[in-house]
Amino acid sequence: MTTNDELFARAQRVIPGGVNSPVRAFRAVGGTPRFIQRGQGAYIWDAEGQRYIDYIGSWGPMILGHGHPAVVEAVQRALLDGFSFGAPTEREIELAEAIIALVPGCEMVRLVSSGTEAGMSALRLARGATGRTKFIKFEGCYHGHADPLLVKAGSGLATFGFPTSAGVPEDVVKHTLVLPYNDVAALEQAFDTHGSELACVMIEPIAGNMNFVRASPPFMTRLRELCTAHGALLVFDEVMSGFRVALGGAHSVYQQLIPGFKADVFVFGKVIGGGMPLAAFGASKSIMEQLAPLGPVYQAGTLSGNPVATACGLATLKEITKPGFFDALTARTQALVAGLEGAAREAGVPLVGDSQGGMFGFFFADELPQNYGVVMATDKERFNRFFHGMLQRGVYLAPALYEAGFVSAAHTADDVAATVQAALGAFKALRA
Ligand code: HOZ
């Protein structure tokens, strides 16, 4: 048997840090990343044969769990017909139609291969459609690693403590205005000063890259009003929350909370690919028709709308649109969060959690944080010890406190009970 340590040592010789995306490296929590050999349902197994209950789910896409039979079958069938053509296929239309049917206001989509591509392209589209350059993003929101968006972002940038990446020229980010999340006064001031220059405001409406933090309804209401008043587009980055917090994503959640609410541009990823490299951005017809070949905003991709990825995404969407899917997923996720809070209480550890649909977060704090600064001030040391306590007990959480967690339809009540039991032990160990 090859151990995780041996694989990590080998990986570090040929891959920077031994990983192909920094958040996998266990740098924040210390120790050796687990090299995953296979997954089935709610479980993954590492190179040493250790089984874990998986609450990362590939950082969100695996909403059905690993190896769902209907998805596997669809992918196998698609593979036999060919991997990639660089030409249009009927399945791309079907997936675009399926996405549009679930998100009112999103009338056309363009399929791409990653959330980074989708976020970057949505920004270019917003700039092209408005003829403006500046835009607002929020501290702790992560919209992929394109240069103008890599400023005070959450996820890996928060984990490793560098607010903005080296290699991103000042000139490129001078048009990026970064504001605190959920801060109406800062938003109003920014619009007062720059309103007529703003192409868009990009937001994770339910942020999953500074742990789990939701935009408050008053903040979202004011954001919509200001965008409308100043002609800036409101871009909902739903790479994490889309088709995950509800069938219609966070957009449908805010539509229920705020009468008449509608975003202008949408960014999707993760769940719509079911675990394959697939993402999308969309908007009204009039905005999307600015894209080449119809309009002057260029955007392209050799593997965009890949036939195997679209088969995987379509099969996944078909499962999650079945009646009762989100009710069951929501109930299971709520049970997990309530169980974690209960176990922490029993162990005398302050902990507060939140969830929406199949996405959740928890903090070693008394109150839910409303922005990145407060998340950064929560007890990192405690989280890191808890993370390892859970890993030892067979539960795989994201290896950084700046990440949300994900429950899949494959997680059973027994899995939740086992997780809560493990958490009780890990919480008690924190007090030792
Ligand atoms: N950004 C995702 C987690 N917050 C995962 C993608 C990655 O950075 O590897």
Side-chain angles (χ1 to χ4, degrees):
M1 178 186 70
T2 313
T3 65
N4 291 303
D5 281 331
E6 286 164 349
L7 288 172
F8 193 35
R10 189 173 142 207
Q12 287 176 92
R13 286 197 284 274
V14 288
I15 300 171
V19 292
N20 282 312
S21 197
V23 294
R24 302 175 191 174
F26 276 36
R27 280 291 176 94
V29 293
T32 303
R34 300 308 189 252
F35 282 71
I36 306 305
Q37 217 156 45
R38 69 188 180 94
Q40 187 57 53
Y43 312 119
I44 50 175
W45 285 262
D46 71 11
E48 298 173 20
Q50 171 73 45
R51 191 194 83 165
Y52 304 91
I53 304 175
D54 179 18
Y55 289 105
I56 299 185
S58 187
W59 302 90
M62 311 312 298
I63 194 165
L64 302 176
H66 299 280
H68 187 284
V71 179
V72 171
E73 201 207 316
V75 169
Q76 282 173 336
R77 254 190 290 118
L79 273 173
L80 295 176
D81 286 336
F83 294 5
S84 184
F85 309 113
T89 62
E90 186 173 356
R91 230 177 269 129
E92 293 165 72
I93 313 170
E94 288 174 31
L95 185 58
E97 287 169 347
I99 293 169
I100 286 163
L102 296 172
V103 185
C106 182
E107 296 172 344
M108 285 183 143
V109 293
R110 170 67 54 88
L111 303 181
V112 295
S113 301
S114 73
T116 287
E117 255 189 281
M120 172 188 91
S121 305
L123 175 60
R124 186 182 304 142
L125 176 63
R127 283 171 157 172
T130 58
R132 300 172 177 183
T133 307
K134 286 195 193 315
F135 73 100
I136 290 174
K137 76 173 284 291
F138 298 97
E139 285 173 11
C141 286
Y142 177 74
H143 304 290
H145 60 90
D147 285 358
L149 294 162
L150 213 49
V151 189
K152 291 196 180 163
S155 193
L157 280 93
T159 304
F160 303 116
F162 35 83
T164 305
S165 170
V168 174
E170 271 298 310
D171 250 20
V172 173
V173 294
K174 72 180 181 206
H175 306 295
T176 308
L177 310 178
V178 188
L179 301 182
Y181 200 72
N182 275 330
D183 187 333
V184 172
L187 192 63
E188 287 177 341
Q189 200 185 347
F191 269 94
D192 268 356
T193 314
H194 299 289
S196 62
E197 305 163 88
L198 290 172
C200 67
V201 178
M202 194 177 278
I203 186 168
E204 278 187 86
I206 297 180
N209 286 291
M210 49 172 154
N211 202 316
F212 179 100
V213 181
R214 44 175 101 227
S216 75
F219 176 75
M220 191 60 86
T221 304
R222 193 69 187 119
L223 175 55
R224 177 66 274 181
E225 285 168 0
L226 288 166
C227 284
T228 304
H230 292 267
L233 298 174
L234 176 54
V235 182
F236 255 36
D237 181 343
E238 295 232 46
V239 169
M240 276 197 169
S241 56
F243 312 93
R244 161 60 74 177
V245 300
L247 190 52
H251 193 243
S252 66
V253 173
Y254 286 96
Q255 285 195 310
Q256 275 176 12
L257 294 169
I258 305 167
F261 181 84
K262 194 175 81 57
D264 300 309
V265 180
F266 303 86
V267 184
F268 302 118
K270 304 209 189 255
V271 169
I272 58 164
M276 299 288 271
L278 198 151
F281 61 102
S284 64
K285 274 200 171 106
S286 62
I287 294 176
M288 290 302 279
E289 283 174 355
Q290 298 296 316
L291 278 181
L294 298 178
V297 179
Y298 198 73
Q299 185 280 329
T302 300
L303 297 175
S304 291
N306 175 270
V308 184
T310 48
C312 189
L314 271 169
T316 302
L317 289 189
K318 189 169 169 200
E319 293 301 313
I320 70 171
T321 43
K322 287 184 173 165
F325 179 90
F326 270 93
D327 291 340
L329 185 67
T330 299
R332 186 90 350 121
T333 311
Q334 285 174 347
L336 173 71
V337 172
L340 291 176
E341 286 177 330
R345 238 184 342 266
E346 192 178 331
V349 171
L351 185 107
V352 60
D354 195 8
S355 69
Q356 186 79 38
M359 183 167 158
F360 70 95
F362 60 87
F363 301 90
F364 288 95
D366 294 314
E367 276 177 30
L368 287 172
Q370 295 301 304
N371 62 47
Y372 182 58
V374 181
V375 173
M376 292 294 274
T378 62
D379 196 335
K380 183 165 172 264
E381 192 48 43
R382 216 166 224 206
F383 172 85
N384 293 350
R385 285 170 58 208
F386 178 68
F387 167 83
H388 278 292
M390 293 298 272
L391 199 65
Q392 278 159 20
R393 291 167 175 83
V395 179
Y396 190 68
L397 298 168
L401 86 82
Y402 308 106
E403 305 288 351
F406 302 97
V407 173
S408 78
H411 287 83
T412 63
D414 284 349
D415 292 324
V416 168
T419 305
V420 170
Q421 196 53 39
L424 182 60
F427 287 136
K428 284 183 175 163
L430 291 179
R431 296 189 56 88

